[in-house]
PDB file of all heavy atoms in Angstrom:
ATOM      1  N   PHE A 226       2.747  19.523  -1.818  1.00 96.00           N
ATOM      2  CA  PHE A 226       1.434  19.307  -1.209  1.00 96.00           C
ATOM      3  C   PHE A 226       1.311  17.937  -0.544  1.00 96.00           C
ATOM      4  O   PHE A 226       0.368  17.706   0.205  1.00 96.00           O
ATOM      5  CB  PHE A 226       0.337  19.494  -2.250  1.00 96.00           C
ATOM      6  CG  PHE A 226       0.265  20.914  -2.793  1.00 96.00           C
ATOM      7  CD1 PHE A 226      -0.366  21.175  -4.002  1.00 96.00           C
ATOM      8  CD2 PHE A 226       0.823  21.972  -2.098  1.00 96.00           C
ATOM      9  CE1 PHE A 226      -0.437  22.460  -4.502  1.00 96.00           C
ATOM     10  CE2 PHE A 226       0.763  23.266  -2.598  1.00 96.00           C
ATOM     11  CZ  PHE A 226       0.141  23.516  -3.810  1.00 96.00           C
ATOM     12  N   ASP A 227       2.267  17.038  -0.789  1.00 95.00           N
ATOM     13  CA  ASP A 227       2.279  15.772  -0.056  1.00 95.00           C
ATOM     14  C   ASP A 227       2.622  15.986   1.421  1.00 95.00           C
ATOM     15  O   ASP A 227       2.399  15.093   2.244  1.00 95.00           O
ATOM     16  CB  ASP A 227       3.299  14.805  -0.672  1.00 95.00           C
ATOM     17  CG  ASP A 227       2.735  14.119  -1.914  1.00 95.00           C
ATOM     18  OD1 ASP A 227       1.504  14.101  -2.065  1.00 95.00           O
ATOM     19  OD2 ASP A 227       3.536  13.621  -2.721  1.00 95.00           O
ATOM     20  N   ARG A 228       3.160  17.149   1.759  1.00 94.00           N
ATOM     21  CA  ARG A 228       3.569  17.430   3.124  1.00 94.00           C
ATOM     22  C   ARG A 228       2.507  18.196   3.909  1.00 94.00           C
ATOM     23  O   ARG A 228       2.744  18.611   5.050  1.00 94.00           O
ATOM     24  CB  ARG A 228       4.895  18.193   3.129  1.00 94.00           C
ATOM     25  CG  ARG A 228       6.030  17.409   2.456  1.00 94.00           C
ATOM     26  CD  ARG A 228       7.347  18.153   2.546  1.00 94.00           C
ATOM     27  NE  ARG A 228       7.776  18.284   3.947  1.00 94.00           N
ATOM     28  CZ  ARG A 228       8.419  17.349   4.626  1.00 94.00           C
ATOM     29  NH1 ARG A 228       8.704  16.178   4.051  1.00 94.00           N
ATOM     30  NH2 ARG A 228       8.771  17.546   5.875  1.00 94.00           N
ATOM     31  N   LEU A 229       1.345  18.406   3.304  1.00 95.00           N
ATOM     32  CA  LEU A 229       0.216  18.976   4.031  1.00 95.00           C
ATOM     33  C   LEU A 229      -0.323  17.934   5.003  1.00 95.00           C
ATOM     34  O   LEU A 229      -0.025  16.740   4.875  1.00 95.00           O
ATOM     35  CB  LEU A 229      -0.880  19.399   3.051  1.00 95.00           C
ATOM     36  CG  LEU A 229      -0.559  20.589   2.131  1.00 95.00           C
ATOM     37  CD1 LEU A 229      -1.623  20.712   1.041  1.00 95.00           C
ATOM     38  CD2 LEU A 229      -0.436  21.878   2.919  1.00 95.00           C
ATOM     39  N   PRO A 230      -1.135  18.331   5.988  1.00 94.00           N
ATOM     40  CA  PRO A 230      -1.741  17.336   6.886  1.00 94.00           C
ATOM     41  C   PRO A 230      -2.427  16.205   6.138  1.00 94.00           C
ATOM     42  O   PRO A 230      -2.406  15.055   6.579  1.00 94.00           O
ATOM     43  CB  PRO A 230      -2.728  18.171   7.694  1.00 94.00           C
ATOM     44  CG  PRO A 230      -2.087  19.519   7.762  1.00 94.00           C
ATOM     45  CD  PRO A 230      -1.438  19.713   6.418  1.00 94.00           C
ATOM     46  N   VAL A 231      -3.043  16.526   4.991  1.00 95.00           N
ATOM     47  CA  VAL A 231      -3.585  15.502   4.096  1.00 95.00           C
ATOM     48  C   VAL A 231      -3.016  15.785   2.710  1.00 95.00           C
ATOM     49  O   VAL A 231      -3.188  16.888   2.187  1.00 95.00           O
ATOM     50  CB  VAL A 231      -5.127  15.542   4.053  1.00 95.00           C
ATOM     51  CG1 VAL A 231      -5.651  14.512   3.042  1.00 95.00           C
ATOM     52  CG2 VAL A 231      -5.723  15.282   5.432  1.00 95.00           C
ATOM     53  N   PRO A 232      -2.313  14.853   2.088  1.00 96.00           N
ATOM     54  CA  PRO A 232      -1.773  15.079   0.745  1.00 96.00           C
ATOM     55  C   PRO A 232      -2.869  15.551  -0.215  1.00 96.00           C
ATOM     56  O   PRO A 232      -4.011  15.087  -0.154  1.00 96.00           O
ATOM     57  CB  PRO A 232      -1.231  13.706   0.348  1.00 96.00           C
ATOM     58  CG  PRO A 232      -0.866  13.077   1.656  1.00 96.00           C
ATOM     59  CD  PRO A 232      -1.925  13.532   2.618  1.00 96.00           C
ATOM     60  N   PHE A 233      -2.492  16.439  -1.129  1.00 97.00           N
ATOM     61  CA  PHE A 233      -3.505  17.154  -1.919  1.00 97.00           C
ATOM     62  C   PHE A 233      -3.012  17.385  -3.338  1.00 97.00           C
ATOM     63  O   PHE A 233      -1.817  17.537  -3.589  1.00 97.00           O
ATOM     64  CB  PHE A 233      -3.803  18.489  -1.231  1.00 97.00           C
ATOM     65  CG  PHE A 233      -4.674  19.414  -2.038  1.00 97.00           C
ATOM     66  CD1 PHE A 233      -6.016  19.117  -2.266  1.00 97.00           C
ATOM     67  CD2 PHE A 233      -4.151  20.589  -2.574  1.00 97.00           C
ATOM     68  CE1 PHE A 233      -6.808  19.979  -3.016  1.00 97.00           C
ATOM     69  CE2 PHE A 233      -4.945  21.447  -3.322  1.00 97.00           C
ATOM     70  CZ  PHE A 233      -6.270  21.140  -3.541  1.00 97.00           C
ATOM     71  N   ARG A 234      -3.970  17.408  -4.264  1.00 97.00           N
ATOM     72  CA  ARG A 234      -3.721  17.814  -5.644  1.00 97.00           C
ATOM     73  C   ARG A 234      -4.851  18.744  -6.107  1.00 97.00           C
ATOM     74  O   ARG A 234      -6.029  18.488  -5.830  1.00 97.00           O
ATOM     75  CB  ARG A 234      -3.678  16.611  -6.593  1.00 97.00           C
ATOM     76  CG  ARG A 234      -2.588  15.598  -6.295  1.00 97.00           C
ATOM     77  CD  ARG A 234      -1.205  16.139  -6.630  1.00 97.00           C
ATOM     78  NE  ARG A 234      -0.194  15.096  -6.429  1.00 97.00           N
ATOM     79  CZ  ARG A 234       0.463  14.896  -5.298  1.00 97.00           C
ATOM     80  NH1 ARG A 234       0.206  15.654  -4.233  1.00 97.00           N
ATOM     81  NH2 ARG A 234       1.379  13.946  -5.198  1.00 97.00           N
ATOM     82  N   ALA A 235      -4.461  19.817  -6.794  1.00 97.00           N
ATOM     83  CA  ALA A 235      -5.430  20.689  -7.464  1.00 97.00           C
ATOM     84  C   ALA A 235      -5.234  20.525  -8.965  1.00 97.00           C
ATOM     85  O   ALA A 235      -4.123  20.274  -9.434  1.00 97.00           O
ATOM     86  CB  ALA A 235      -5.226  22.144  -7.055  1.00 97.00           C
ATOM     87  N   VAL A 236      -6.318  20.689  -9.714  1.00 96.00           N
ATOM     88  CA  VAL A 236      -6.255  20.489 -11.156  1.00 96.00           C
ATOM     89  C   VAL A 236      -6.622  21.787 -11.863  1.00 96.00           C
ATOM     90  O   VAL A 236      -7.617  22.447 -11.528  1.00 96.00           O
ATOM     91  CB  VAL A 236      -7.206  19.358 -11.601  1.00 96.00           C
ATOM     92  CG1 VAL A 236      -7.202  19.224 -13.121  1.00 96.00           C
ATOM     93  CG2 VAL A 236      -6.776  18.043 -10.956  1.00 96.00           C
ATOM     94  N   ALA A 237      -5.796  22.162 -12.837  1.00 95.00           N
ATOM     95  CA  ALA A 237      -6.053  23.329 -13.671  1.00 95.00           C
ATOM     96  C   ALA A 237      -5.820  22.928 -15.126  1.00 95.00           C
ATOM     97  O   ALA A 237      -5.452  21.789 -15.420  1.00 95.00           O
ATOM     98  CB  ALA A 237      -5.142  24.486 -13.265  1.00 95.00           C
ATOM     99  N   ALA A 238      -6.060  23.875 -16.030  1.00 94.00           N
ATOM    100  CA  ALA A 238      -5.850  23.614 -17.460  1.00 94.00           C
ATOM    101  C   ALA A 238      -4.957  24.699 -18.037  1.00 94.00           C
ATOM    102  O   ALA A 238      -5.102  25.880 -17.707  1.00 94.00           O
ATOM    103  CB  ALA A 238      -7.184  23.577 -18.200  1.00 94.00           C
ATOM    104  N   ASP A 239      -4.019  24.290 -18.882  1.00 94.00           N
ATOM    105  CA  ASP A 239      -3.148  25.228 -19.585  1.00 94.00           C
ATOM    106  C   ASP A 239      -3.924  25.787 -20.770  1.00 94.00           C
ATOM    107  O   ASP A 239      -4.249  25.061 -21.709  1.00 94.00           O
ATOM    108  CB  ASP A 239      -1.888  24.503 -20.052  1.00 94.00           C
ATOM    109  CG  ASP A 239      -0.866  25.447 -20.671  1.00 94.00           C
ATOM    110  OD1 ASP A 239      -1.267  26.423 -21.322  1.00 94.00           O
ATOM    111  OD2 ASP A 239       0.345  25.209 -20.499  1.00 94.00           O
ATOM    112  N   ILE A 240      -4.223  27.089 -20.717  1.00 91.00           N
ATOM    113  CA  ILE A 240      -5.069  27.668 -21.762  1.00 91.00           C
ATOM    114  C   ILE A 240      -4.344  27.740 -23.102  1.00 91.00           C
ATOM    115  O   ILE A 240      -4.962  27.857 -24.157  1.00 91.00           O
ATOM    116  CB  ILE A 240      -5.560  29.073 -21.327  1.00 91.00           C
ATOM    117  CG1 ILE A 240      -6.759  29.499 -22.168  1.00 91.00           C
ATOM    118  CG2 ILE A 240      -4.439  30.099 -21.404  1.00 91.00           C
ATOM    119  CD1 ILE A 240      -7.429  30.757 -21.677  1.00 91.00           C
ATOM    120  N   GLY A 241      -3.015  27.653 -23.067  1.00 88.00           N
ATOM    121  CA  GLY A 241      -2.256  27.696 -24.313  1.00 88.00           C
ATOM    122  C   GLY A 241      -2.225  26.375 -25.041  1.00 88.00           C
ATOM    123  O   GLY A 241      -2.279  26.327 -26.274  1.00 88.00           O
ATOM    124  N   THR A 242      -2.169  25.266 -24.288  1.00 91.00           N
ATOM    125  CA  THR A 242      -2.026  23.950 -24.912  1.00 91.00           C
ATOM    126  C   THR A 242      -3.243  23.052 -24.723  1.00 91.00           C
ATOM    127  O   THR A 242      -3.359  22.034 -25.400  1.00 91.00           O
ATOM    128  CB  THR A 242      -0.802  23.226 -24.328  1.00 91.00           C
ATOM    129  OG1 THR A 242      -1.027  22.969 -22.930  1.00 91.00           O
ATOM    130  CG2 THR A 242       0.460  24.071 -24.494  1.00 91.00           C
ATOM    131  N   GLY A 243      -4.104  23.406 -23.774  1.00 88.00           N
ATOM    132  CA  GLY A 243      -5.247  22.556 -23.476  1.00 88.00           C
ATOM    133  C   GLY A 243      -4.907  21.374 -22.596  1.00 88.00           C
ATOM    134  O   GLY A 243      -5.749  20.516 -22.352  1.00 88.00           O
ATOM    135  N   GLU A 244      -3.677  21.329 -22.082  1.00 93.00           N
ATOM    136  CA  GLU A 244      -3.237  20.198 -21.268  1.00 93.00           C
ATOM    137  C   GLU A 244      -3.802  20.280 -19.847  1.00 93.00           C
ATOM    138  O   GLU A 244      -4.035  21.370 -19.315  1.00 93.00           O
ATOM    139  CB  GLU A 244      -1.711  20.169 -21.195  1.00 93.00           C
ATOM    140  CG  GLU A 244      -1.021  19.888 -22.517  1.00 93.00           C
ATOM    141  CD  GLU A 244       0.490  19.949 -22.392  1.00 93.00           C
ATOM    142  OE1 GLU A 244       0.991  20.789 -21.632  1.00 93.00           O
ATOM    143  OE2 GLU A 244       1.158  19.145 -23.058  1.00 93.00           O
ATOM    144  N   THR A 245      -3.977  19.103 -19.262  1.00 94.00           N
ATOM    145  CA  THR A 245      -4.329  19.026 -17.845  1.00 94.00           C
ATOM    146  C   THR A 245      -3.073  19.287 -17.023  1.00 94.00           C
ATOM    147  O   THR A 245      -2.024  18.696 -17.281  1.00 94.00           O
ATOM    148  CB  THR A 245      -4.888  17.635 -17.501  1.00 94.00           C
ATOM    149  OG1 THR A 245      -6.052  17.388 -18.287  1.00 94.00           O
ATOM    150  CG2 THR A 245      -5.241  17.551 -16.021  1.00 94.00           C
ATOM    151  N   VAL A 246      -3.179  20.191 -16.045  1.00 95.00           N
ATOM    152  CA  VAL A 246      -2.044  20.527 -15.185  1.00 95.00           C
ATOM    153  C   VAL A 246      -2.409  20.130 -13.762  1.00 95.00           C
ATOM    154  O   VAL A 246      -3.345  20.674 -13.173  1.00 95.00           O
ATOM    155  CB  VAL A 246      -1.708  22.028 -15.251  1.00 95.00           C
ATOM    156  CG1 VAL A 246      -0.539  22.349 -14.329  1.00 95.00           C
ATOM    157  CG2 VAL A 246      -1.386  22.438 -16.681  1.00 95.00           C
ATOM    158  N   ILE A 247      -1.675  19.146 -13.228  1.00 96.00           N
ATOM    159  CA  ILE A 247      -1.898  18.715 -11.844  1.00 96.00           C
ATOM    160  C   ILE A 247      -0.910  19.454 -10.958  1.00 96.00           C
ATOM    161  O   ILE A 247       0.304  19.318 -11.116  1.00 96.00           O
ATOM    162  CB  ILE A 247      -1.736  17.190 -11.702  1.00 96.00           C
ATOM    163  CG1 ILE A 247      -2.764  16.473 -12.588  1.00 96.00           C
ATOM    164  CG2 ILE A 247      -1.911  16.770 -10.250  1.00 96.00           C
ATOM    165  CD1 ILE A 247      -2.648  14.966 -12.575  1.00 96.00           C
ATOM    166  N   LEU A 248      -1.443  20.279 -10.053  1.00 96.00           N
ATOM    167  CA  LEU A 248      -0.621  21.122  -9.194  1.00 96.00           C
ATOM    168  C   LEU A 248      -0.261  20.339  -7.932  1.00 96.00           C
ATOM    169  O   LEU A 248      -1.129  20.010  -7.117  1.00 96.00           O
ATOM    170  CB  LEU A 248      -1.378  22.411  -8.860  1.00 96.00           C
ATOM    171  CG  LEU A 248      -1.783  23.230 -10.102  1.00 96.00           C
ATOM    172  CD1 LEU A 248      -2.707  24.368  -9.722  1.00 96.00           C
ATOM    173  CD2 LEU A 248      -0.550  23.744 -10.819  1.00 96.00           C
ATOM    174  N   ARG A 249       1.038  20.055  -7.778  1.00 96.00           N
ATOM    175  CA  ARG A 249       1.521  19.200  -6.695  1.00 96.00           C
ATOM    176  C   ARG A 249       2.296  19.966  -5.630  1.00 96.00           C
ATOM    177  O   ARG A 249       2.659  19.403  -4.602  1.00 96.00           O
ATOM    178  CB  ARG A 249       2.424  18.110  -7.270  1.00 96.00           C
ATOM    179  CG  ARG A 249       1.748  17.192  -8.279  1.00 96.00           C
ATOM    180  CD  ARG A 249       2.742  16.185  -8.838  1.00 96.00           C
ATOM    181  NE  ARG A 249       2.085  15.173  -9.656  1.00 96.00           N
ATOM    182  CZ  ARG A 249       1.812  15.320 -10.950  1.00 96.00           C
ATOM    183  NH1 ARG A 249       2.157  16.456 -11.557  1.00 96.00           N
ATOM    184  NH2 ARG A 249       1.215  14.355 -11.622  1.00 96.00           N
ATOM    185  N   GLY A 250       2.590  21.244  -5.873  1.00 94.00           N
ATOM    186  CA  GLY A 250       3.382  22.002  -4.924  1.00 94.00           C
ATOM    187  C   GLY A 250       3.407  23.466  -5.282  1.00 94.00           C
ATOM    188  O   GLY A 250       2.738  23.924  -6.207  1.00 94.00           O
ATOM    189  N   GLY A 251       4.212  24.220  -4.516  1.00 93.00           N
ATOM    190  CA  GLY A 251       4.273  25.661  -4.705  1.00 93.00           C
ATOM    191  C   GLY A 251       3.380  26.371  -3.706  1.00 93.00           C
ATOM    192  O   GLY A 251       3.117  25.884  -2.609  1.00 93.00           O
ATOM    193  N   SER A 252       2.897  27.539  -4.098  1.00 94.00           N
ATOM    194  CA  SER A 252       1.988  28.298  -3.242  1.00 94.00           C
ATOM    195  C   SER A 252       0.603  27.656  -3.284  1.00 94.00           C
ATOM    196  O   SER A 252      -0.018  27.564  -4.346  1.00 94.00           O
ATOM    197  CB  SER A 252       1.898  29.749  -3.725  1.00 94.00           C
ATOM    198  OG  SER A 252       0.787  30.404  -3.143  1.00 94.00           O
ATOM    199  N   LEU A 253       0.119  27.231  -2.127  1.00 95.00           N
ATOM    200  CA  LEU A 253      -1.211  26.619  -2.088  1.00 95.00           C
ATOM    201  C   LEU A 253      -2.273  27.635  -2.480  1.00 95.00           C
ATOM    202  O   LEU A 253      -3.189  27.322  -3.249  1.00 95.00           O
ATOM    203  CB  LEU A 253      -1.499  26.058  -0.692  1.00 95.00           C
ATOM    204  CG  LEU A 253      -2.871  25.407  -0.515  1.00 95.00           C
ATOM    205  CD1 LEU A 253      -3.050  24.220  -1.462  1.00 95.00           C
ATOM    206  CD2 LEU A 253      -3.076  24.973   0.937  1.00 95.00           C
ATOM    207  N   ALA A 254      -2.167  28.873  -1.985  1.00 95.00           N
ATOM    208  CA  ALA A 254      -3.166  29.897  -2.295  1.00 95.00           C
ATOM    209  C   ALA A 254      -3.239  30.144  -3.797  1.00 95.00           C
ATOM    210  O   ALA A 254      -4.328  30.215  -4.379  1.00 95.00           O
ATOM    211  CB  ALA A 254      -2.837  31.192  -1.560  1.00 95.00           C
ATOM    212  N   ARG A 255      -2.087  30.281  -4.440  1.00 95.00           N
ATOM    213  CA  ARG A 255      -2.067  30.565  -5.879  1.00 95.00           C
ATOM    214  C   ARG A 255      -2.569  29.361  -6.677  1.00 95.00           C
ATOM    215  O   ARG A 255      -3.231  29.516  -7.704  1.00 95.00           O
ATOM    216  CB  ARG A 255      -0.661  30.959  -6.303  1.00 95.00           C
ATOM    217  CG  ARG A 255      -0.579  31.565  -7.698  1.00 95.00           C
ATOM    218  CD  ARG A 255       0.649  32.440  -7.838  1.00 95.00           C
ATOM    219  NE  ARG A 255       0.793  32.947  -9.192  1.00 95.00           N
ATOM    220  CZ  ARG A 255       0.100  33.954  -9.695  1.00 95.00           C
ATOM    221  NH1 ARG A 255      -0.805  34.557  -8.962  1.00 95.00           N
ATOM    222  NH2 ARG A 255       0.300  34.374 -10.930  1.00 95.00           N
ATOM    223  N   SER A 256      -2.263  28.159  -6.213  1.00 96.00           N
ATOM    224  CA  SER A 256      -2.740  26.962  -6.904  1.00 96.00           C
ATOM    225  C   SER A 256      -4.260  26.867  -6.836  1.00 96.00           C
ATOM    226  O   SER A 256      -4.921  26.518  -7.825  1.00 96.00           O
ATOM    227  CB  SER A 256      -2.109  25.716  -6.284  1.00 96.00           C
ATOM    228  OG  SER A 256      -0.709  25.714  -6.469  1.00 96.00           O
ATOM    229  N   LEU A 257      -4.831  27.158  -5.667  1.00 96.00           N
ATOM    230  CA  LEU A 257      -6.289  27.121  -5.535  1.00 96.00           C
ATOM    231  C   LEU A 257      -6.932  28.176  -6.405  1.00 96.00           C
ATOM    232  O   LEU A 257      -7.960  27.935  -7.050  1.00 96.00           O
ATOM    233  CB  LEU A 257      -6.683  27.332  -4.069  1.00 96.00           C
ATOM    234  CG  LEU A 257      -6.166  26.305  -3.066  1.00 96.00           C
ATOM    235  CD1 LEU A 257      -6.706  26.608  -1.672  1.00 96.00           C
ATOM    236  CD2 LEU A 257      -6.529  24.894  -3.487  1.00 96.00           C
ATOM    237  N   ARG A 258      -6.334  29.370  -6.446  1.00 95.00           N
ATOM    238  CA  ARG A 258      -6.872  30.446  -7.288  1.00 95.00           C
ATOM    239  C   ARG A 258      -6.816  30.050  -8.767  1.00 95.00           C
ATOM    240  O   ARG A 258      -7.749  30.320  -9.526  1.00 95.00           O
ATOM    241  CB  ARG A 258      -6.060  31.708  -7.009  1.00 95.00           C
ATOM    242  CG  ARG A 258      -6.250  32.853  -7.989  1.00 95.00           C
ATOM    243  CD  ARG A 258      -7.610  33.482  -7.934  1.00 95.00           C
ATOM    244  NE  ARG A 258      -7.668  34.516  -8.952  1.00 95.00           N
ATOM    245  CZ  ARG A 258      -7.965  34.306 -10.213  1.00 95.00           C
ATOM    246  NH1 ARG A 258      -8.265  33.086 -10.637  1.00 95.00           N
ATOM    247  NH2 ARG A 258      -7.999  35.309 -11.080  1.00 95.00           N
ATOM    248  N   ALA A 259      -5.741  29.379  -9.189  1.00 94.00           N
ATOM    249  CA  ALA A 259      -5.612  28.962 -10.592  1.00 94.00           C
ATOM    250  C   ALA A 259      -6.660  27.919 -10.940  1.00 94.00           C
ATOM    251  O   ALA A 259      -7.272  27.958 -12.014  1.00 94.00           O
ATOM    252  CB  ALA A 259      -4.211  28.408 -10.856  1.00 94.00           C
ATOM    253  N   SER A 260      -6.905  26.980 -10.033  1.00 94.00           N
ATOM    254  CA  SER A 260      -7.864  25.917 -10.309  1.00 94.00           C
ATOM    255  C   SER A 260      -9.276  26.458 -10.468  1.00 94.00           C
ATOM    256  O   SER A 260     -10.112  25.831 -11.119  1.00 94.00           O
ATOM    257  CB  SER A 260      -7.820  24.876  -9.190  1.00 94.00           C
ATOM    258  OG  SER A 260      -8.669  23.788  -9.480  1.00 94.00           O
TER     259      SER A 260
END
Side-chain angles (χ1 to χ4, degrees):
F226 296 160
D227 280 340
R228 300 183 64 83
L229 292 169
V231 177
F233 171 69
R234 299 289 184 269
V236 176
D239 186 326
I240 198 171
T242 65
E244 294 177 324
T245 300
V246 179
I247 299 177
L248 301 171
R249 300 177 172 86
S252 165
L253 179 60
R255 193 156 176 78
S256 296
L257 299 183
R258 167 68 182 85
S260 184

